[in-house]
Amino acid sequence: MRTRMLALTSAACGAALLAAAALPAAASDAERAAPEGSAVDATEVTAAELLAEVRSCTRISKGEYRTDSGSPKATVSVCGTQDAVFWKADMDIDCDGRKTKECNLKTDPYFLPETAFTSSRGEPLDSAALPHVVVPAPGKVWDYRKSGLGGGSVVAVVYGDLVRYGVIGDTGPRGIIGEASYAMARTLGIDPDPVSGGAESGVTYIAFKDSRISPIESRAKARSRGEELAREFVGRS
C-alpha cells in the first residue's frame, strides 16, 4: 500500500499514462466483471441511511490522520459506535498484491507484490478483483485490532448514492488513511487507475466490529454479510 504521490518523474508519468491507456475497459475475469447493485432492491440499505448514522463523531483515535503523504496537516479522525468504526476521507488506489494486467509495475510504479492479509491459500490478495479497504498500520494514533477489526472484517464504503461492501485487506502507513483496492474503486464508479485515479474526498468507510468472513476473498460473503450488518446498523433488523 502507498498513497498517491503529488509528483512523479516525467519518465514514470509517461510510463504510467501509456499503461493506463492500454488497460481494457473491463477485466476479463468473470468476477471482475460481475455487476453490483445494478438493480434497485427495497431491502438494501441506502447511502442516505448509512450516512445518517455517522453524522456525528465520537472519536476513538488519539489524533488525526493525513489523507496523503503530502497533505499539509492531519484532518481525519477515526470515529466509533457500539457496532462499527468509521472515517470520512479520500480514496487512493491500492493495487498491491497479486500481479495482474491491471496491477503490476507497469501500471503502478509503486506496486508491491504482497498484501498485509492473504487469501485462504496463503497468497497475496488480488486488488484488481477483490473489493477491499486499507487501514493504517497499528500505531499511536489508532490500532484497528483494538477496535475488533482485522483482515477479513466487513466494510461498507459509501460514495455519492452508492454503497458497496468489501473487507479489510491491507494495511498502510501509520499516519495516513483513505485507501481502497482497484476493485473497490471500480464498483463505486471511481477511476481505479493507481497513479491518476481515486477520489479527492467524499468517501465514507464503515468497518463493522467482529465481522470477519472466511474465506477473505469471497465477494459474495462480504456482500451478504455486509448487507445484513448494514440493516442492523440502521435499525432495520
Side-chain angles (χ1 to χ4, degrees):
M1 176 273 185
R2 103 287 305 128
T3 56
R4 261 179 281 134
M5 307 302 292
L6 298 182
L8 293 171
T9 65
S10 58
C13 282
L17 289 173
L18 288 172
L23 286 176
S28 58
D29 188 287
E31 188 173 39
R32 290 183 178 85
E36 291 189 39
S38 55
V40 177
D41 186 339
T43 66
E44 292 180 359
V45 175
T46 66
E49 286 178 290
L50 285 171
L51 293 177
E53 296 297 320
V54 296
R55 282 178 297 187
S56 60
C57 173
T58 299
R59 193 171 79 177
I60 61 172
S61 57
K62 295 180 180 178
E64 296 178 321
Y65 286 98
R66 287 178 165 79
T67 55
D68 294 287
S69 59
S71 299
K73 61 180 180 178
T75 59
V76 180
S77 297
V78 177
C79 313
T81 72
Q82 180 178 348
D83 302 311
V85 170
F86 67 91
W87 57 95
K88 302 176 183 181
D90 65 344
M91 182 183 285
D92 295 322
I93 306 303
D94 184 12
C95 220
D96 295 336
R98 179 182 171 190
K99 183 178 178 181
T100 62
K101 60 186 177 183
E102 297 89 355
C103 296
N104 55 69
L105 278 172
K106 291 183 179 180
T107 61
D108 180 1
Y110 303 103
F111 173 77
L112 296 173
E114 64 268 342
T115 49
F117 306 106
T118 57
S119 72
S120 56
R121 296 181 179 181
E123 301 170 343
L125 300 180
D126 184 346
S127 291
L130 180 65
H132 69 74
V133 168
V134 178
V135 292
K140 293 181 180 180
V141 177
W142 178 54
D143 184 341
Y144 65 86
R145 299 170 300 184
K146 295 181 179 179
S147 296
L149 304 177
S153 292
V154 178
V155 182
V157 183
V158 182
Y159 182 68
D161 61 355
L162 297 178
V163 180
R164 296 292 183 260
Y165 300 100
V167 294
I168 291 176
D170 205 356
T171 62
R174 289 183 175 86
I176 297 174
I177 203 167
E179 187 170 8
S181 69
Y182 182 109
M184 178 62 80
R186 190 163 173 261
T187 67
L188 289 163
I190 295 172
D191 181 357
D193 187 277
V195 175
S196 62
E200 294 185 358
S201 62
V203 184
T204 299
Y205 304 82
I206 305 171
F208 299 104
K209 299 177 180 178
D210 304 315
S211 62
R212 181 178 179 274
I213 63 162
S214 182
I216 190 174
E217 65 268 25
S218 174
R219 290 180 62 164
K221 283 190 176 182
R223 184 176 182 184
S224 175
R225 183 61 175 146
E227 290 173 346
E228 177 185 358
L229 291 166
R231 287 192 292 272
E232 293 175 2
F233 190 63
V234 301
R236 283 234 236 137
S237 60

